[in-house]
Amino acid sequence: MTITFTDHDKLTLRTAAYGAVTLLAAADTAGSPHQVATKGSIALYSATGPIGHVLADKSGGMDLSGKSVAAIADHVLPALTAAMSLLKQRDPAEADNYRHTVLVAVEAATHTDGGRQPSPAVADMIRKITEALDAA
């Protein structure tokens, strides 16, 4: 089965996934936000299947701006839930692929070479991202 996504669907999927990485980078004020963003984005760009094609598309239009983490979260967390709802309706297997892809990006973004645990703020953001994915 081939899934056809509208431009709006694609924008929602990209905003949610890349927004999750953006939220982690914004929450990692004591660490290396640039490294978080780079690792997470590479993981998303490495996705496969229909979701991989959507996430690899370099189309603009994502609004990941905000003057605070809360402002970014206001866009991203609902987008994660909307993306999962959309995919569950169209293809539950692809919804699972998307959830797994986002969580792999989260893990890649927060992986430290020294084996340190994420800061409490980053750990809390991971929890919020996971809850948003599971709310659909």
Side-chain angles (χ1 to χ4, degrees):
M1 176 174 144
T2 302
I3 302 174
T4 304
F5 295 112
T6 66
D7 289 341
H8 184 264
D9 295 342
K10 292 176 186 178
L11 181 61
T12 299
L13 294 168
R14 282 193 304 271
T15 298
Y18 285 98
V21 172
T22 300
L23 276 174
L24 291 171
D28 190 26
T29 57
S32 177
H34 176 73
Q35 191 174 41
V36 168
T38 299
K39 287 179 178 181
S41 294
I42 289 170
L44 291 175
Y45 193 73
S46 300
T48 59
I51 292 304
H53 291 286
V54 170
L55 296 179
D57 187 0
K58 297 291 186 185
S59 298
M62 291 186 293
D63 181 11
L64 301 177
S65 62
K67 293 185 180 197
S68 67
V69 175
I72 298 167
D74 287 346
H75 296 293
V76 174
L77 296 176
L80 285 163
T81 303
M84 287 299 295
S85 293
L86 166 80
L87 290 169
K88 282 181 176 181
Q89 290 173 2
R90 303 258 177 96
D91 186 344
E94 206 53 37
D96 290 341
N97 181 33
Y98 183 81
R99 183 183 186 281
H100 178 76
T101 297
V102 171
L103 292 177
V104 165
V106 165
E107 184 177 338
T110 58
H111 177 78
T112 60
D113 294 330
R116 292 177 288 129
Q117 295 293 321
S119 71
V122 171
D124 189 50
M125 190 57 66
I126 292 169
R127 180 189 58 77
K128 290 175 183 178
I129 289 167
T130 304
E131 286 176 355
L133 287 168
D134 293 343

